[in-house]
Amino acid sequence: MESSELDKTLHKYIDAFLGVPAANDYDESGRRDGLAHFFRDIASSNIAPTALRDESAIIGEMQKRVAGSGRGTRSALQVSRLCGLLQQQNPGFNWWPVLYLLLECSTSAVLPKIAAAPSSYISNHHNRAHGSRYDSRTSPMLPPPQPGLHSQQRHDLGIPRYGTPSAIPHGMSEFAGGNTSALPAQAYSRGELGNPASNAPPPEEQSNAYLHRNLPTYDDVSEAALLQDLIYVLQGIDGTYVHWNSMTSSYTVNPEVKLSRPTRAMVTLLSELGGLTRDVQSYISEVERDGRLFEQSFCTELKVEMSTYYKLVSEIEGRLFKVPRTLRPGESQLGVTLRRMYCWTTEARQKLRLMATAIAKVQEGSGGGTVLSTISTLVDDGDPFIQSFAKRLLKTASAPFNHILVSWVTDGELVDPYKEFFIRERESRRDMFWSEKYTVASDMIPVHISGDMTRKIFQIGRSLNFLRVACDDAQWVAEGGPRTQLTGDISDTSDLEAFVYRSSSMVNGRLMSVLRDKFDLMGHIEAIRRYLLFEQGDFALALMEVLENQMDRSGRSVMAHDLSAVLSSATRSSNAQHENPDRLSAIVLTFQEEGTKNRGWNEVTLTYNLSAPLSYVIPRSTMRQYFEVSHFLLRLRRIEHSLHTIWRHQMTESRAYLRSEELQRRKGTARDGDKQADPLRQAMRQSSIACSEMIQFFHQVQRYIALNVIEGAWGEFIESTKEEIDIDSWNDAHSKYVDVIHEVVCGGSGPGFQRNLSGIFETTLRFISAVKELYNEQALSARRATSGAGAPAKENRESLSERLMRLRTSGNLFGSGQAAADPAAEHASQVRSTILRFKEQVKDIMRVLSHNTTSDLQFLVVTIDFNGTYTASA
């Protein structure tokens, strides 16, 4: 008889399942033909499902089941796309039966165990009427039978996990075997019945064993025993069949125990909970032993979650042997199955994975704020379950952080025994109390705190601590400080931000008010500008006059009390005597270097000693810049004052010389001294002109520094501090003001006046010394001319010794070991060379300043060379 396409397809499936039979095994071929006829009868039966014949409904149900299995929405969309492709291939074909078959196949989690068919069925199969159909009571589409039906048969067959015969059609039940006393093929395959030869089953059961050998075998261990083992494993304890493998860091089933692939996979999935439990408990034990505050708080929430997990394990254990009241087809008599345990522990598994992930990231960090940062990243996750779980962890873990933060922003006290907060206290010098006592550890800042809020938090606590300790304002901190603004829960980021911004404005305003009103901050800065930078002219002039008188004697004889007397005299001689006593007491005249042995004019300078707490606020580096600028300006003032003194002396000597010359002319005694007087008179005239040029040069430099540099920077500083700012912003503005002055005067990063004018200073000082010697020589010449030849020799010897002393002091007594032939000519030559050197240096500095892009400096070049003297001689 010619076989149909259905028969050929059924034979292919049977051969694929049982293997290709031998060529001459006719009995096997007959049995397979019987199986093919049996399955053909099932396929051609009239049993129809009760489901609605709607392809769209079937596709929707398939999408729901795929999405509910945990594979996500993408897999569900893939199912819809595949079904659409099927419909496009053959639009007229009815795909509903095929889709329904696929849906029903996917519903059965584990295929029922197929037993071998008895030979009686095969022999009598063709004699049975084809019209016989399955018993409608056993149809899988009908409601499930009453519990207990065929339970004895299921127990005898040894298939408690794979469904009941009641769920199998009537023909399949016969194929599965009606002999309930038949032994399982698994026991026969393991040789548990002794010698196979002596215990060979009857011929009709041999076919059963043959069909059984390629089907999934039974498990060596019952499901109840595995469930009991897993109860221990869920708690991180080794069981009888499932043990902890230190090599793989996971729980594994004993290799000697034979389990089917689905059972082994399910046990492995459930054993993951045990590994996660061990990791979490190990971390909790480690933190309890030597953990810090943030980690201990984090573990507190972990303990709460583990307690909930252990309650779940306890409930599962209590229901392990509790038989359900109703059993559905394929359902176990046990109260708990592997699949039920897997479903009940799905949420706990996700929580344990999250806890293990958070623990791993926390251990990678350095503790402290990194713990909160790790949890905060989980809060930003898009999964609502992860969000809610991470928020609970963050709320508990941030408790010690919030406690330290509240103490810092309300009292200015840092209570951080384990150094986990992002603000650190360190030992520092007393004068660095404000700038270096506290620092920010950037690696400890939690991610939910922004950079601006971090700066404000740091500023609030530091200011409160400064008010309490340095400003003696602890009462306001306790009664009227930020604690009065603390109304909400700062664990919420928005409430914390609002509180920080309110408190920042309050604390900064209070600190600036105390420093300005109580400690006269701006008054002291104004005093530094007037006295250290010599903006008060009468004080500067009085100081120069007193210093010039005192510094005529050797620097060795100048003591500290002499300098105090000089400063006191200068103060009383100027309007500085009406200054605030606190400001006057801060002005000190001292030597630039205390250890210098040869103390002279260049070593004397002015300083300003700020008292606490102002000395804590203004950095020492800023005061050092004031000191350097003041020293330069003092030298500039001293040289300018000396030039004015020389100029007055020149005017006086010039008039005296003209009068004496007139007298000599009238007496008729001026003819002999004309030859010697001509070089002196020419040198004196040149020195007078050069002195006027030097005075004009130094006056323009001083005017530029005072008006363009100091006053300009001061105006910007006052303008920037008019608004309500914090102490750091005020300090930045003040440092900028000082930096501008120091940059121009001393040349912080480039050539300043101090570097460019250092050579001119030395040349000018040599000029002043040479002019003094020149006029002394002129005075000696005039005295010799007026005394006549009959003057006593003793007086001449005394005049000569005085002149030798002056020459020795000036270093020009001997040129090459011999006495100078003409001292007047030598002094005149020295004056002329010094004047030429000065002009060359002025040209050099003008050349440097002319290349500067600053318009003020270019204007300074114009004012120095207003009549083109230096340009014309270039």
Side-chain angles (χ1 to χ4, degrees):
M1 182 175 79
E2 186 177 355
S3 300
S4 64
E5 291 294 332
L6 179 60
D7 290 335
K8 294 179 181 180
T9 304
L10 290 174
H11 278 89
K12 287 182 181 179
Y13 284 138
I14 292 173
D15 291 342
F17 186 70
L18 299 178
V20 180
N24 299 325
D25 194 352
Y26 298 105
D27 293 337
E28 177 63 22
S29 299
R31 283 192 292 271
R32 297 195 180 194
D33 291 338
L35 285 174
H37 286 299
F38 174 71
F39 288 118
R40 185 179 60 186
D41 289 343
I42 294 177
S44 60
S45 64
N46 293 328
I47 297 178
T50 59
L52 182 64
R53 295 176 178 270
D54 186 2
E55 293 184 7
S56 299
I58 292 297
I59 295 174
E61 184 65 25
M62 294 173 72
Q63 288 179 333
K64 290 181 182 178
R65 294 190 182 181
V66 170
S69 63
R71 284 178 286 181
T73 57
R74 182 172 296 179
S75 299
L77 294 175
Q78 185 73 6
V79 170
S80 177
R81 190 179 70 84
L82 292 175
C83 293
L85 292 175
L86 288 176
Q87 293 175 351
Q88 291 177 2
Q89 292 293 330
N90 194 351
F93 185 76
N94 184 15
W95 290 101
W96 181 87
V98 178
L99 297 176
Y100 184 78
L101 176 63
L102 295 175
L103 179 63
E104 288 299 317
C105 291
S106 66
T107 304
S108 178
V110 182
L111 294 175
K113 184 170 183 181
I114 303 177
S119 59
S120 59
Y121 167 77
I122 299 176
S123 61
N124 297 328
H125 177 69
H126 293 286
N127 299 328
R128 185 179 305 148
H130 291 285
S132 61
R133 293 292 180 259
Y134 306 123
D135 189 356
S136 60
R137 293 174 300 173
T138 61
S139 174
M141 304 305 301
L142 296 179
Q146 296 296 324
L149 186 63
H150 298 295
S151 60
Q152 184 64 33
Q153 182 181 6
R154 178 177 59 190
H155 181 271
D156 293 339
L157 288 176
I159 49 173
R161 298 180 64 250
Y162 301 107
T164 62
S166 61
I168 305 175
H170 181 70
M172 182 62 73
S173 299
E174 294 180 358
F175 180 74
N179 185 10
T180 59
S181 62
L183 294 174
Q186 181 187 12
Y188 179 77
S189 63
R190 292 199 305 264
E192 295 177 358
L193 301 179
N195 188 357
S198 61
N199 297 321
E204 66 268 10
E205 295 182 6
Q206 288 183 2
S207 61
N208 298 350
Y210 173 79
L211 292 176
H212 239 300
R213 65 187 179 186
N214 286 323
L215 294 175
T217 60
Y218 292 125
D219 300 330
D220 284 351
V221 182
S222 65
E223 186 175 14
L226 289 175
L227 289 170
Q228 288 181 351
D229 245 25
L230 288 173
I231 291 296
Y232 290 101
V233 172
L234 293 181
Q235 303 174 67
I237 305 172
D238 288 358
T240 305
Y241 308 105
V242 184
H243 306 279
W244 175 257
N245 190 342
S246 59
M247 300 294 294
T248 61
S249 297
S250 62
Y251 279 98
T252 57
V253 183
N254 191 341
E256 298 179 358
V257 178
K258 295 182 180 180
L259 297 176
S260 62
R261 183 176 296 178
T263 304
R264 186 177 294 273
M266 189 61 64
V267 171
T268 302
L269 287 174
L270 291 169
S271 299
E272 180 189 0
L273 293 168
L276 295 174
T277 302
R278 286 174 63 100
D279 294 340
V280 175
Q281 288 293 352
S282 175
Y283 176 74
I284 292 175
S285 301
E286 179 182 353
V287 171
E288 287 179 346
R289 184 173 58 255
D290 52 3
R292 296 182 289 183
L293 284 179
F294 287 20
E295 296 173 347
Q296 292 175 5
S297 182
F298 173 57
C299 286
T300 301
E301 184 62 26
L302 295 182
K303 291 178 183 178
V304 173
E305 295 296 335
M306 292 304 296
S307 299
T308 305
Y309 169 73
Y310 287 135
K311 288 180 182 178
L312 174 62
V313 175
S314 178
E315 291 178 2
I316 295 175
E317 184 179 9
R319 300 175 63 177
L320 182 59
F321 298 104
K322 186 178 180 181
V323 181
R325 294 183 179 181
T326 58
L327 288 175
R328 296 184 178 181
E331 190 174 14
S332 174
Q333 290 184 347
L334 297 174
V336 180
T337 62
L338 291 174
R339 291 186 175 276
R340 284 180 179 173
M341 181 180 288
Y342 178 79
C343 294
W344 292 343
T345 57
T346 299
E347 183 177 348
R349 183 181 298 102
Q350 191 172 5
K351 287 184 179 180
L352 286 173
R353 286 174 180 173
L354 286 175
M355 288 190 284
T357 302
I359 289 172
K361 291 184 178 180
V362 167
Q363 289 177 334
E364 290 176 0
S366 55
T370 57
V371 176
L372 306 184
S373 299
T374 300
I375 305 174
S376 296
T377 56
L378 298 177
V379 174
D380 297 334
D381 195 276
D383 190 342
F385 175 80
I386 298 178
Q387 274 190 3
S388 59
F389 180 74
K391 285 181 180 179
R392 293 198 303 270
L393 281 179
L394 182 61
K395 184 176 181 180
T396 306
S398 60
F401 175 84
N402 293 336
H403 176 73
I404 298 174
L405 181 60
V406 169
S407 176
W408 174 253
V409 298
T410 56
D411 299 326
E413 295 181 358
L414 186 60
V415 186
D416 186 17
Y418 295 102
K419 299 187 182 303
E420 297 176 285
F421 199 55
F422 63 87
I423 296 175
R424 301 285 176 81
E425 183 178 2
R426 62 182 183 181
E427 296 294 334
S428 61
R429 300 194 304 267
R430 186 67 177 175
D431 58 335
M432 309 298 288
F433 182 82
W434 171 260
S435 59
E436 294 187 1
K437 183 177 182 180
Y438 295 102
T439 58
V440 176
S442 57
D443 58 332
M444 290 293 181
I445 302 175
V447 295
H448 64 276
I449 296 182
S450 62
D452 183 60
M453 190 160 60
T454 300
R455 188 185 69 83
K456 289 186 178 296
I457 291 173
F458 175 70
Q459 186 73 11
I460 291 171
R462 186 171 57 157
S463 300
L464 290 174
N465 183 269
F466 193 79
L467 284 170
R468 286 192 307 103
V469 178
C471 300
D472 195 19
D473 199 16
Q475 183 177 0
W476 180 87
V477 174
E479 298 177 359
R483 187 174 292 276
T484 59
Q485 303 291 325
L486 187 60
T487 57
D489 183 12
I490 65 171
S491 59
D492 185 75
T493 306
S494 58
D495 294 340
L496 172 62
E497 185 174 358
F499 169 73
V500 166
Y501 277 87
R502 291 195 307 267
S503 301
S504 176
S505 177
M506 173 191 294
V507 174
N508 291 330
R510 177 65 180 183
L511 180 58
M512 290 302 300
S513 175
V514 169
L515 291 178
R516 284 174 173 171
D517 300 339
K518 184 177 180 180
F519 297 100
D520 194 20
L521 174 62
M522 293 303 298
H524 283 281
I525 301 300
E526 174 71 18
I528 291 175
R529 183 182 69 89
R530 291 205 307 267
Y531 301 115
L532 253 67
L533 304 183
F534 299 102
E535 288 294 288
Q536 185 159 333
D538 59 341
F539 172 78
L541 181 60
L543 182 64
M544 295 302 108
E545 291 177 352
V546 178
L547 274 177
E548 186 177 12
N549 297 330
Q550 291 290 330
M551 297 306 292
D552 285 341
R553 48 183 180 164
S554 175
R556 291 177 180 271
S557 60
V558 178
M559 301 298 177
H561 62 275
D562 296 327
L563 297 179
S564 300
V566 168
L567 182 61
S568 177
S569 177
T571 303
R572 291 193 302 269
S573 303
S574 63
N575 288 329
Q577 59 184 326
H578 305 296
E579 187 61 78
N580 188 308
D582 293 336
R583 302 175 191 173
L584 283 180
S585 61
I587 305 172
V588 178
L589 186 65
T590 183
F591 289 100
Q592 185 180 9
E593 297 181 3
E594 295 294 337
T596 305
K597 294 182 179 180
N598 299 322
R599 295 177 178 177
W601 180 281
N602 293 334
E603 284 73 30
V604 175
T605 186
L606 275 176
T607 60
Y608 197 93
N609 294 333
L610 289 172
S611 59
L614 300 183
S615 60
Y616 305 154
V617 174
I618 301 177
R620 176 180 293 184
S621 58
T622 302
M623 296 305 298
R624 181 66 184 177
Q625 289 178 324
Y626 272 128
F627 182 79
E628 293 176 359
V629 172
S630 177
H631 180 67
F632 173 81
L633 294 178
L634 182 61
R635 290 187 65 193
L636 184 63
R637 289 275 183 171
R638 173 238 169 163
I639 292 176
E640 185 183 12
H641 184 269
S642 298
L643 288 173
H644 280 289
T645 304
I646 291 295
W647 183 82
R648 289 195 302 267
H649 184 66
Q650 284 177 339
M651 295 299 101
T652 304
E653 291 294 334
S654 177
R655 292 190 183 94
Y657 179 78
L658 291 175
R659 286 196 301 269
S660 63
E661 189 177 43
E662 180 66 21
L663 291 175
Q664 292 176 4
R665 186 180 63 78
R666 290 179 181 180
K667 293 180 180 180
T669 59
R671 184 173 299 176
D672 297 336
D674 286 343
K675 295 182 179 180
Q676 185 178 5
D678 287 339
L680 287 176
R681 289 169 58 186
Q682 186 178 3
M684 290 171 61
R685 187 172 184 277
Q686 292 177 351
S687 67
S688 178
I689 296 173
C691 184
S692 299
E693 292 180 3
M694 292 180 181
I695 290 175
Q696 194 270 343
F697 173 81
F698 285 108
H699 175 73
Q700 293 299 330
V701 172
Q702 180 186 343
R703 180 206 59 80
Y704 172 78
I705 293 175
L707 298 181
N708 294 65
V709 179
I710 298 177
E711 288 298 329
W714 175 259
E716 294 179 0
F717 169 64
I718 294 298
E719 186 67 25
S720 62
T721 56
K722 281 183 178 179
E723 300 178 355
E724 292 294 332
I725 57 176
D726 57 24
I727 190 63
D728 280 339
S729 300
W730 184 93
N731 238 334
D732 293 340
H734 180 247
S735 298
K736 181 180 178 182
Y737 155 70
V738 179
D739 288 340
V740 169
I741 300 174
H742 187 268
E743 181 76 20
V744 175
V745 174
C746 301
S749 58
F753 279 110
Q754 185 174 9
R755 299 180 183 180
N756 291 321
L757 297 181
S758 58
I760 296 181
F761 282 172
E762 298 299 329
T763 302
T764 306
L765 290 176
R766 285 197 295 269
F767 171 78
I768 293 172
S769 177
V771 169
K772 287 182 178 180
E773 292 296 335
L774 180 65
Y775 277 91
N776 289 335
E777 186 63 32
Q778 186 271 338
L780 289 175
S781 299
R783 187 180 304 175
R784 285 196 299 268
T786 56
S787 61
K794 180 179 180 181
E795 183 179 351
N796 291 336
R797 286 195 300 269
E798 290 177 353
S799 299
L800 181 60
S801 63
E802 291 176 0
R803 182 168 60 84
L804 290 176
M805 181 60 69
R806 286 194 301 272
L807 292 176
R808 187 182 294 112
T809 304
S810 62
N812 294 319
L813 176 59
F814 300 106
S816 58
Q818 302 294 330
D822 189 357
E826 184 178 353
H827 289 312
S829 176
Q830 185 178 1
V831 168
R832 284 191 292 270
S833 64
T834 306
I835 294 173
L836 293 175
R837 176 63 179 165
F838 172 78
K839 290 183 177 181
E840 291 296 329
Q841 290 176 338
V842 172
K843 291 177 184 179
D844 293 339
I845 194 172
M846 288 177 61
R847 191 179 303 109
V848 172
L849 296 178
S850 62
H851 289 85
N852 196 292
T853 57
T854 306
S855 59
D856 292 343
L857 286 176
Q858 293 178 357
F859 184 72
L860 175 62
V861 174
V862 175
T863 57
I864 293 175
D865 192 21
F866 68 97
N867 57 357
T869 302
Y870 301 103
T871 306
S873 60

